[in-house]
Amino acid sequence: MMPPRRLLAAVAVALLIGTSAACGDKASGFAADGRLDVVTAFYPLRFLGERIGGDAVAVTDLTKPGAEPHDVELYPRQVGEISDAGLVLYLKGFQPAVDQAVAQEATGRALDAGSVVELLAADAHEDEHGHEPGEHEHAEGGTDPHVWLDPVRFAAVADRLAERLAQADPARADAYRARAAALHAQLDALDAEFATRLRTCERREFITSHTAFRYLADRYGLTEVGITGVSPESEPSPRHLVHVAEQARATGATTIFFETLVSPKVADTIAREVGARTAVLDPLEGITEPGADYFSVMRGNLSALTAALECTS
């Protein structure tokens, strides 16, 4: 059953879509200055749109900087931006309000980043996080949406985006593909950095407040132990908190990670219980530091992991 907050958001978007649809024909998909209008759902997708689109696109992000994106709600203006866009880049199942608006307002003009790569399943032990049996944390069949935290998968999404931009704007197709190739090379280099620095570590398990790093762990042979599940709004059960504390002691964890957009209270509690410190591991769902970008945050995460896991490479 859809949580009440998401149900209300879905109803609101349905009303907004009805209003938008009554306003007239869709625009051409290009801004008055000739740039292609691209709408992105949240920060990592905005990053791709800006890097690959360059000065040929006008990017509008649906999630405000520093906002938690999972349950974003849309204003009428934003539904109109989706309707008018030349291309919408989103991740189906991550933001229900965006999914509904895209389905009704951007048919044939949207790219689902999750359709490009193989998605990992969400935590199979959802009942340990306080969920009712059978209730999925992620709307899309219990899959984990955080694909951007794996540079290899993220590079595949970048390549597909370049092709979709080229279809929408053939006159600048070569430029889109060239920028995507350059970004792909940078992501390959980042992947090599992670692989090298995480090759030899004292521990292979790390504990996070929000289970957002399974793609990163899967790529580099690590194991993530999450205090809450894929959704940061989920509440861990007392049994699961005991389990996490036991895992921390058993693995000799020195660090409990929390994230930038969610309260660190539960992470602090576990850390005090096992005598560990806390540190930030950023899931990159929104940028909070001026001047930061995907690469700087990912390298900050790498430094935090190598310190916590006592890596020697």
Side-chain angles (χ1 to χ4, degrees):
M1 180 177 178
M2 184 179 291
R5 181 179 174 188
R6 292 190 175 183
L7 180 60
L8 289 173
V11 171
V13 169
L15 293 174
L16 294 175
I17 289 171
T19 301
S20 174
C23 291
D25 296 333
K26 299 187 190 308
S28 66
F30 288 85
D33 60 6
R35 292 183 296 167
L36 181 69
D37 277 323
V38 175
V39 171
T40 58
F42 60 104
Y43 174 72
L45 304 184
R46 186 187 92 204
F47 173 80
L48 288 185
E50 291 174 342
R51 287 293 300 268
I52 298 171
D55 59 8
V57 304
V59 176
T60 300
D61 197 12
L62 297 174
T63 304
K64 294 180 180 179
E68 211 295 317
H70 285 77
D71 291 313
V72 69
E73 298 177 15
L74 300 181
Y75 296 101
R77 171 183 53 79
Q78 293 174 302
V79 175
E81 288 165 346
I82 290 171
S83 178
D84 293 342
L87 184 67
V88 179
L89 180 59
Y90 76 118
L91 206 163
K92 189 176 181 181
F94 189 56
Q95 297 166 300
V98 176
D99 290 354
Q100 188 169 358
V102 167
Q104 298 199 34
E105 294 291 301
T107 301
R109 294 177 294 106
L111 172 60
D112 169 18
S115 70
V116 178
V117 297
E118 182 181 357
L119 298 179
L120 298 177
D123 192 343
H125 304 289
E126 290 170 314
D127 59 324
E128 293 185 358
H129 297 297
H131 295 280
E132 293 297 323
E135 178 187 344
H136 292 301
E137 287 189 299
H138 185 233
E140 194 64 13
T143 54
D144 185 334
H146 301 88
V147 293
W148 60 90
L149 292 168
D150 173 3
V152 176
R153 284 180 169 90
F154 202 46
V157 177
D159 292 343
R160 182 69 61 82
L161 174 60
E163 293 307 313
R164 289 299 302 271
L165 289 171
Q167 292 173 18
D169 185 11
R172 291 179 280 211
D174 289 345
Y176 294 134
R177 292 180 177 123
R179 282 190 286 266
L183 178 58
H184 195 129
Q186 289 182 292
L187 290 166
D188 284 346
L190 181 67
D191 170 50
E193 288 179 42
F194 269 82
T196 298
R197 293 183 61 187
L198 294 172
R199 183 172 295 130
T200 307
C201 304
E202 184 70 21
R203 289 174 294 280
R204 307 301 295 176
E205 302 85 8
F206 62 102
I207 297 173
T208 61
S209 61
H210 165 206
T211 309
F213 297 89
R214 188 175 289 113
Y215 289 95
L216 188 153
D218 180 70
R219 177 64 58 189
Y220 304 110
L222 304 176
T223 299
E224 179 186 22
V225 178
I227 298 173
T228 63
V230 169
S231 170
E233 293 182 349
S234 61
E235 292 290 336
S237 67
R239 180 179 64 174
H240 186 67
L241 290 175
V242 170
H243 170 72
V244 172
E246 289 173 348
Q247 287 282 96
R249 293 190 186 97
T251 60
T254 62
T255 306
I256 309 298
F257 288 111
F258 67 95
E259 63 179 84
T260 51
L261 301 179
V262 177
S263 170
K265 181 188 294 186
V266 177
D268 288 339
T269 299
I270 296 290
R272 285 195 302 270
E273 177 69 21
V274 302
R277 68 185 182 94
T278 59
V280 170
L281 202 62
D282 194 332
L284 262 164
E285 292 172 356
I287 291 292
T288 57
E289 295 295 325
D293 69 359
Y294 176 85
F295 285 106
S296 66
V297 173
M298 284 293 283
R299 289 190 169 98
N301 285 341
L302 177 56
S303 294
L305 281 169
T306 55
L309 300 179
E310 298 183 47
C311 304
T312 58
S313 298

